[in-house]
Amino acid sequence: MRKEVGDVLETGVLFRYGFDGARKGHWKAKAFESALSEKLGVKYCHLCSSGTAALSIALAACGIGAGDEVIVPPFTFLATIEAVINAGAIPVFSEIDETLCLDPKSIEAVVTPRTRAVITVHMCGAMAQIDQIRRLCDDKGLVLIEDACQAVGGTFRGKALGSFGHMGCFSFDAVKTITCGEGGAVITDDSNRYLLAAAFSDHGHDHIGNDRGLENHEILGANYRICELNAAVGLAQLRKLDCIIETQRANKKAIKDALNKYSEVRFRHLPDPAGDSATFLSFLLPSETRARQIAGALGQAGVDGCFYWYDNNWHYIRRWDHLRRLSSPAPLSITRLNHPSACDYNNLSLPQSDGIMSRTLSMQIKLSWTPAQLQQRIEAICGVFARD
Ligand SMILES: Cc1ncc(COP(=O)(O)O)c(C=O)c1O
């Protein structure tokens, strides 16, 4: 990583475009884009400043905007929903199933003549029923965007998560599987969407020729550019991805094998267990009461990194009070649409998702555990299940 970052610092060219002579052949953003598209088996990749930016870019490049309905899950990071609202579109919530991702049956139930897209989120490192969701979107003529921000390195039947939809989005923020510090990417096989994404994320620049001052602007856009320093970090990180996933899988397997003997534990449904990137071990308990009891006991036993999402105000809709109120410093177009489906999020009812999330715990899988620490952790976890 120091070498990649050093290359950039030595030339002093932090901007990802232009300065061809001064940069002495170092194009970190371009190099990361081609390495990532090769790794994920897609034709095109465009890096940007964050996963949130990637979602906004994907929506724009897929032509989703004012008044369009976009089906989203209630279990995600709020960025998924914010990107839809900021595009002027309307998030329409559908239920999740025991994959902890969108339930294909429930998607179908909320499609209306105004639905334009589905954003499926591969939560906690593993896949939605992406084959079924893609089929459904094709049947209904809907755009499919995959929010794979938490799932780089995950696959479904050998194909990269993020590569099933019309566009896929990734985050490389500081807590993701690989990081740029801050950064993101969109991927696609569609050249037109790729060109729109690259232009939209750079004020509409068409990037034709080698004089930025003379470039044309066919569309309005924004600044969602990544800089060379962040890209250099990501490029080095990408080389470690396989090793990171392998370590996560081994650590996860050890804990999962140990938990398997407790009949009350039901693991999250993984449509293809071999493609799990293994950032989390998620499981369901028989009741909300039992889930709360186990979450408390794990905390007391010193088992860190356990999440009871039902009470978490980042990831599950139940505690997104500001979304329910649509609080914003400036008027949102969604509130001015006068649209029958501009949802009353205060009265939204998602009983299937509540039933699942109120019983679900997720344990973070770390890379840094020594074999002894992993063993200690397993003993502490088993102690809780055996005792409480
Ligand atoms: C599912 C999901 N989508 C989008 C994002 C946004 O990514 P970023 O933090 O890079 O903006 C995150 C980040 O946590 C995420 O978990």
Side-chain angles (χ1 to χ4, degrees):
M1 182 188 299
R2 282 170 203 276
K3 155 86 176 77
E4 298 292 351
V5 174
D7 287 345
V8 179
L9 291 176
E10 268 164 36
T11 64
V13 180
L14 308 188
F15 199 59
R16 68 155 297 172
Y17 297 112
F19 301 98
D20 297 27
R23 65 173 59 246
K24 300 196 178 113
H26 296 302
W27 298 88
K28 300 303 179 185
K30 279 190 185 172
F32 188 6
E33 284 165 354
S34 59
L36 190 62
S37 45
E38 193 183 326
K39 177 90 198 145
L40 301 178
V42 291
K43 288 191 186 147
Y44 307 102
C45 168
H46 184 74
L47 282 184
C48 55
S49 50
S50 68
T52 309
L55 287 158
S56 292
I57 294 165
L59 285 162
C62 290
I64 310 300
D68 293 333
E69 291 181 12
V70 180
I71 296 173
V72 291
F75 180 45
T76 179
F77 179 51
L78 217 103
T80 320
I81 317 304
E82 287 168 332
V84 175
I85 292 174
N86 290 333
I90 303 167
V92 174
F93 288 90
S94 165
E95 301 271 19
I96 56 160
D97 58 22
E98 289 193 12
T99 61
L100 306 186
C101 304
L102 277 177
D103 174 359
K105 285 196 288 298
S106 173
I107 296 177
E108 199 158 4
V110 295
V111 171
T112 76
R114 289 172 295 273
T115 308
R116 291 282 319 284
V118 173
I119 303 183
T120 192
V121 186
H122 301 292
M123 274 305 272
C124 303
M127 72 291 301
Q129 311 209 44
I130 193 63
D131 53 343
Q132 289 183 42
I133 294 174
R134 175 73 209 230
R135 248 193 326 273
L136 178 76
C137 287
D138 286 348
D139 288 351
K140 306 265 178 208
L142 303 176
V143 166
L144 175 60
I145 295 172
E146 287 174 86
D147 179 340
C149 285
Q150 295 191 8
V152 68
T155 57
F156 176 74
R157 299 193 183 135
K159 185 170 156 57
L161 300 183
S163 69
F164 289 82
H166 297 92
M167 291 196 101
C169 304
F170 294 90
S171 164
F172 306 119
D173 74 22
V175 295
K176 293 299 183 290
T177 308
I178 57 170
T179 185
C180 292
E182 293 283 0
V186 288
I187 60 169
T188 182
D189 279 328
D190 181 312
S191 61
N192 191 40
R193 287 193 173 110
Y194 162 70
L195 289 172
L196 283 170
F200 181 75
S201 59
D202 184 24
H203 301 291
H205 273 259
D206 65 7
H207 304 132
I208 294 172
N210 60 1
D211 184 342
R212 186 167 169 85
L214 295 180
E215 286 176 11
N216 284 317
H217 310 85
E218 295 292 334
I219 56 167
L220 296 170
N223 174 6
Y224 292 132
R225 291 185 305 260
I226 194 156
C227 95
E228 287 288 275
L229 283 173
N230 295 68
V233 173
L235 184 58
Q237 284 266 295
L238 184 60
R239 296 194 194 108
K240 296 186 183 166
L241 179 62
D242 290 346
C243 173
I244 290 171
I245 303 271
E246 198 183 312
T247 308
Q248 285 176 173
R249 284 182 179 157
N251 287 349
K252 176 169 174 173
K253 181 174 182 320
I255 301 175
K256 193 169 181 180
D257 287 351
L259 268 185
N260 211 10
K261 63 175 177 274
Y262 301 104
S263 59
E264 65 175 331
V265 173
R266 195 159 83 236
F267 295 108
R268 164 191 187 173
H269 173 55
L270 295 171
D272 176 14
D276 179 12
S277 75
T279 53
F280 282 94
L281 172 61
S282 300
F283 52 90
L284 288 88
L285 290 155
S287 65
E288 177 177 341
T289 310
R290 184 65 176 149
R292 288 184 181 281
Q293 189 188 7
I294 292 284
L298 286 168
Q300 274 169 12
V303 183
D304 64 351
C306 295
F307 295 92
Y308 181 57
W309 305 114
Y310 197 54
D311 284 348
N312 176 296
N313 64 12
W314 295 11
H315 288 288
Y316 189 60
I317 194 168
R318 194 171 81 101
R319 300 288 302 276
W320 292 342
D321 297 338
H322 59 316
L323 171 76
R324 289 176 180 278
R325 293 190 307 269
L326 287 174
S327 294
S328 169
L332 295 172
S333 46
I334 186 174
T335 61
R336 298 195 168 171
L337 281 171
N338 199 15
H339 193 292
S341 59
C343 292
D344 177 1
Y345 298 113
N346 258 322
N347 292 314
L348 189 63
S349 163
L350 294 161
Q352 180 175 309
S353 305
D354 282 348
I356 291 166
M357 293 313 295
S358 62
R359 294 181 295 123
T360 297
L361 297 183
S362 295
M363 290 178 169
Q364 202 179 359
I365 304 297
K366 292 193 185 160
L367 291 172
S368 55
W369 292 328
T370 63
Q373 285 171 331
L374 179 60
Q375 194 47 41
Q376 260 172 15
R377 191 176 181 85
I378 289 172
E379 280 161 24
I381 293 168
C382 290
V384 164
F385 278 91
R387 188 184 61 239
D388 286 82

Short mmCIF file of all heavy atoms in Angstrom, two decimals, residues 49-53 55 76-80 121-123 147-150 170-176 182-184 314-315, ligand 1:
data_model
loop_
_atom_site.label_atom_id
_atom_site.label_comp_id
_atom_site.label_asym_id
_atom_site.label_seq_id
_atom_site.Cartn_x
_atom_site.Cartn_y
_atom_site.Cartn_z
N SER A 49 -16.62 8.40 -5.12
CA SER A 49 -16.16 8.84 -3.81
C SER A 49 -16.73 8.04 -2.64
O SER A 49 -16.21 8.13 -1.53
CB SER A 49 -16.49 10.32 -3.63
OG SER A 49 -17.85 10.55 -3.97
N SER A 50 -17.79 7.27 -2.84
CA SER A 50 -18.37 6.48 -1.74
C SER A 50 -19.40 5.49 -2.30
O SER A 50 -19.78 5.59 -3.48
CB SER A 50 -19.09 7.40 -0.73
OG SER A 50 -20.23 7.99 -1.32
N GLY A 51 -19.85 4.61 -1.43
CA GLY A 51 -20.93 3.70 -1.83
C GLY A 51 -22.22 4.47 -2.02
O GLY A 51 -23.04 4.14 -2.90
N THR A 52 -22.42 5.50 -1.20
CA THR A 52 -23.62 6.33 -1.34
C THR A 52 -23.62 7.01 -2.70
O THR A 52 -24.65 7.04 -3.41
CB THR A 52 -23.66 7.40 -0.22
OG1 THR A 52 -23.46 6.75 1.04
CG2 THR A 52 -24.96 8.15 -0.20
N ALA A 53 -22.45 7.53 -3.08
CA ALA A 53 -22.32 8.16 -4.40
C ALA A 53 -22.60 7.12 -5.49
O ALA A 53 -23.29 7.42 -6.48
CB ALA A 53 -20.91 8.73 -4.57
N LEU A 55 -24.58 4.62 -5.45
CA LEU A 55 -26.02 4.42 -5.59
C LEU A 55 -26.67 5.57 -6.36
O LEU A 55 -27.52 5.35 -7.23
CB LEU A 55 -26.66 4.28 -4.20
CG LEU A 55 -26.35 2.95 -3.50
CD1 LEU A 55 -26.51 3.08 -1.99
CD2 LEU A 55 -27.25 1.84 -4.04
N THR A 76 -31.11 -2.38 5.66
CA THR A 76 -29.99 -1.93 4.83
C THR A 76 -29.31 -0.82 5.62
O THR A 76 -29.65 -0.56 6.77
CB THR A 76 -30.47 -1.41 3.45
OG1 THR A 76 -29.33 -0.97 2.71
CG2 THR A 76 -31.48 -0.29 3.54
N PHE A 77 -28.32 -0.17 5.04
CA PHE A 77 -27.85 1.07 5.63
C PHE A 77 -28.67 2.18 4.99
O PHE A 77 -29.01 2.11 3.81
CB PHE A 77 -26.35 1.25 5.36
CG PHE A 77 -25.79 2.52 5.91
CD1 PHE A 77 -26.00 2.88 7.24
CD2 PHE A 77 -25.06 3.38 5.11
CE1 PHE A 77 -25.50 4.07 7.75
CE2 PHE A 77 -24.54 4.57 5.62
CZ PHE A 77 -24.76 4.90 6.93
N LEU A 78 -28.97 3.20 5.75
CA LEU A 78 -29.90 4.22 5.27
C LEU A 78 -29.49 4.88 3.95
O LEU A 78 -30.33 5.43 3.23
CB LEU A 78 -30.07 5.29 6.35
CG LEU A 78 -31.49 5.78 6.37
CD1 LEU A 78 -32.28 5.21 7.52
CD2 LEU A 78 -31.52 7.28 6.39
N ALA A 79 -28.21 4.76 3.61
CA ALA A 79 -27.71 5.34 2.36
C ALA A 79 -28.51 4.87 1.14
O ALA A 79 -28.73 5.64 0.20
CB ALA A 79 -26.24 4.97 2.16
N THR A 80 -28.95 3.62 1.17
CA THR A 80 -29.72 3.08 0.04
C THR A 80 -30.98 3.93 -0.16
O THR A 80 -31.35 4.28 -1.29
CB THR A 80 -30.16 1.62 0.33
OG1 THR A 80 -29.09 0.92 0.96
CG2 THR A 80 -30.63 0.91 -0.91
N VAL A 121 -30.35 -5.29 -1.74
CA VAL A 121 -29.13 -5.09 -0.95
C VAL A 121 -28.64 -6.46 -0.47
O VAL A 121 -29.41 -7.20 0.14
CB VAL A 121 -29.41 -4.18 0.28
CG1 VAL A 121 -28.11 -3.87 1.02
CG2 VAL A 121 -30.09 -2.89 -0.15
N HIS A 122 -27.41 -6.78 -0.75
CA HIS A 122 -26.82 -8.03 -0.25
C HIS A 122 -26.26 -7.73 1.14
O HIS A 122 -25.12 -7.27 1.27
CB HIS A 122 -25.73 -8.51 -1.20
CG HIS A 122 -26.20 -8.77 -2.60
ND1 HIS A 122 -27.06 -9.80 -2.91
CD2 HIS A 122 -25.95 -8.12 -3.76
CE1 HIS A 122 -27.31 -9.78 -4.22
NE2 HIS A 122 -26.66 -8.77 -4.75
N MET A 123 -27.08 -7.96 2.15
CA MET A 123 -26.71 -7.49 3.48
C MET A 123 -25.72 -8.42 4.17
O MET A 123 -25.75 -9.63 4.02
CB MET A 123 -27.96 -7.37 4.36
CG MET A 123 -28.66 -6.05 4.22
SD MET A 123 -27.59 -4.62 4.54
CE MET A 123 -27.75 -4.40 6.30
N ASP A 147 -27.21 -3.21 -4.52
CA ASP A 147 -26.37 -2.56 -3.51
C ASP A 147 -25.53 -3.66 -2.88
O ASP A 147 -25.98 -4.38 -1.98
CB ASP A 147 -27.26 -1.84 -2.49
CG ASP A 147 -26.46 -1.15 -1.38
OD1 ASP A 147 -25.29 -1.54 -1.18
OD2 ASP A 147 -27.02 -0.27 -0.71
N ALA A 148 -24.31 -3.80 -3.42
CA ALA A 148 -23.38 -4.83 -2.91
C ALA A 148 -22.30 -4.15 -2.06
O ALA A 148 -21.19 -4.64 -1.96
CB ALA A 148 -22.77 -5.59 -4.08
N CYS A 149 -22.69 -3.01 -1.45
CA CYS A 149 -21.71 -2.23 -0.68
C CYS A 149 -21.08 -3.06 0.44
O CYS A 149 -19.94 -2.84 0.82
CB CYS A 149 -22.38 -0.98 -0.11
SG CYS A 149 -22.63 0.27 -1.38
N GLN A 150 -21.87 -4.00 0.99
CA GLN A 150 -21.33 -4.82 2.09
C GLN A 150 -20.86 -6.18 1.59
O GLN A 150 -20.55 -7.04 2.42
CB GLN A 150 -22.42 -5.05 3.15
CG GLN A 150 -22.89 -3.81 3.85
CD GLN A 150 -23.76 -4.12 5.06
OE1 GLN A 150 -23.91 -5.26 5.47
NE2 GLN A 150 -24.32 -3.08 5.65
N PHE A 170 -20.69 -0.67 -4.98
CA PHE A 170 -19.80 -1.11 -3.91
C PHE A 170 -19.35 0.07 -3.07
O PHE A 170 -19.26 1.19 -3.58
CB PHE A 170 -18.56 -1.81 -4.49
CG PHE A 170 -18.91 -3.09 -5.19
CD1 PHE A 170 -19.20 -3.10 -6.54
CD2 PHE A 170 -18.98 -4.28 -4.48
CE1 PHE A 170 -19.56 -4.28 -7.18
CE2 PHE A 170 -19.33 -5.46 -5.11
CZ PHE A 170 -19.62 -5.46 -6.46
N SER A 171 -19.05 -0.23 -1.80
CA SER A 171 -18.47 0.78 -0.91
C SER A 171 -17.09 0.32 -0.47
O SER A 171 -16.90 -0.86 -0.17
CB SER A 171 -19.36 0.94 0.33
OG SER A 171 -18.63 1.63 1.35
N PHE A 172 -16.17 1.27 -0.43
CA PHE A 172 -14.85 0.99 0.12
C PHE A 172 -14.57 1.96 1.26
O PHE A 172 -13.49 2.53 1.36
CB PHE A 172 -13.78 1.10 -0.99
CG PHE A 172 -14.08 0.24 -2.18
CD1 PHE A 172 -14.28 0.80 -3.43
CD2 PHE A 172 -14.21 -1.14 -2.05
CE1 PHE A 172 -14.59 0.01 -4.55
CE2 PHE A 172 -14.53 -1.94 -3.15
CZ PHE A 172 -14.71 -1.36 -4.39
N ASP A 173 -15.59 2.19 2.09
CA ASP A 173 -15.36 3.06 3.25
C ASP A 173 -14.52 2.31 4.27
O ASP A 173 -14.12 1.16 4.07
CB ASP A 173 -16.67 3.64 3.79
CG ASP A 173 -17.53 2.63 4.56
OD1 ASP A 173 -17.00 1.62 5.05
OD2 ASP A 173 -18.76 2.86 4.68
N ALA A 174 -14.25 2.97 5.39
CA ALA A 174 -13.21 2.46 6.30
C ALA A 174 -13.58 1.15 6.98
O ALA A 174 -12.69 0.47 7.52
CB ALA A 174 -12.90 3.53 7.34
N VAL A 175 -14.85 0.78 7.01
CA VAL A 175 -15.23 -0.46 7.71
C VAL A 175 -15.66 -1.58 6.75
O VAL A 175 -16.24 -2.56 7.17
CB VAL A 175 -16.34 -0.22 8.77
CG1 VAL A 175 -15.83 0.68 9.87
CG2 VAL A 175 -17.59 0.38 8.12
N LYS A 176 -15.35 -1.42 5.49
CA LYS A 176 -15.75 -2.45 4.53
C LYS A 176 -14.64 -3.50 4.35
O LYS A 176 -13.53 -3.32 4.82
CB LYS A 176 -16.11 -1.80 3.19
CG LYS A 176 -17.36 -0.93 3.27
CD LYS A 176 -18.59 -1.73 3.68
CE LYS A 176 -19.87 -0.90 3.69
NZ LYS A 176 -19.94 0.10 4.75
N GLU A 182 -12.17 6.27 1.99
CA GLU A 182 -13.52 6.52 1.47
C GLU A 182 -13.48 6.20 -0.02
O GLU A 182 -12.53 6.60 -0.70
CB GLU A 182 -13.96 7.97 1.65
CG GLU A 182 -14.16 8.44 3.07
CD GLU A 182 -15.46 7.97 3.72
OE1 GLU A 182 -16.24 7.24 3.07
OE2 GLU A 182 -15.66 8.34 4.90
N GLY A 183 -14.51 5.56 -0.52
CA GLY A 183 -14.55 5.27 -1.96
C GLY A 183 -15.70 4.36 -2.30
O GLY A 183 -16.34 3.78 -1.40
N GLY A 184 -15.97 4.24 -3.56
CA GLY A 184 -17.04 3.35 -4.01
C GLY A 184 -16.85 3.04 -5.48
O GLY A 184 -15.91 3.54 -6.12
N TRP A 314 -29.20 2.50 12.60
CA TRP A 314 -28.58 2.70 11.29
C TRP A 314 -29.17 1.76 10.25
O TRP A 314 -29.21 2.09 9.07
CB TRP A 314 -27.10 2.36 11.31
CG TRP A 314 -26.22 3.19 12.15
CD1 TRP A 314 -26.59 4.11 13.08
CD2 TRP A 314 -24.80 3.16 12.13
NE1 TRP A 314 -25.48 4.65 13.65
CE2 TRP A 314 -24.36 4.09 13.08
CE3 TRP A 314 -23.85 2.44 11.41
CZ2 TRP A 314 -23.03 4.31 13.33
CZ3 TRP A 314 -22.52 2.68 11.66
CH2 TRP A 314 -22.11 3.60 12.61
N HIS A 315 -29.52 0.57 10.69
CA HIS A 315 -29.71 -0.48 9.68
C HIS A 315 -31.13 -1.02 9.54
O HIS A 315 -31.39 -1.73 8.58
CB HIS A 315 -28.74 -1.63 9.95
CG HIS A 315 -27.32 -1.27 9.63
ND1 HIS A 315 -26.88 -1.12 8.33
CD2 HIS A 315 -26.27 -0.98 10.41
CE1 HIS A 315 -25.60 -0.77 8.34
NE2 HIS A 315 -25.21 -0.67 9.59
C1 LIG B 1 -25.74 -1.52 2.35
C2 LIG B 1 -24.97 -0.24 2.24
N1 LIG B 1 -25.24 0.61 1.23
C3 LIG B 1 -24.57 1.75 1.08
C4 LIG B 1 -23.57 2.12 1.95
C5 LIG B 1 -22.90 3.43 1.77
O1 LIG B 1 -21.51 3.33 1.57
P1 LIG B 1 -20.55 4.55 1.92
O2 LIG B 1 -20.32 4.56 3.41
O3 LIG B 1 -19.27 4.23 1.19
O4 LIG B 1 -21.19 5.78 1.43
C6 LIG B 1 -23.25 1.27 3.02
C7 LIG B 1 -22.22 1.65 3.99
O5 LIG B 1 -22.21 1.24 5.13
C8 LIG B 1 -23.98 0.06 3.17
O6 LIG B 1 -23.73 -0.76 4.18
#
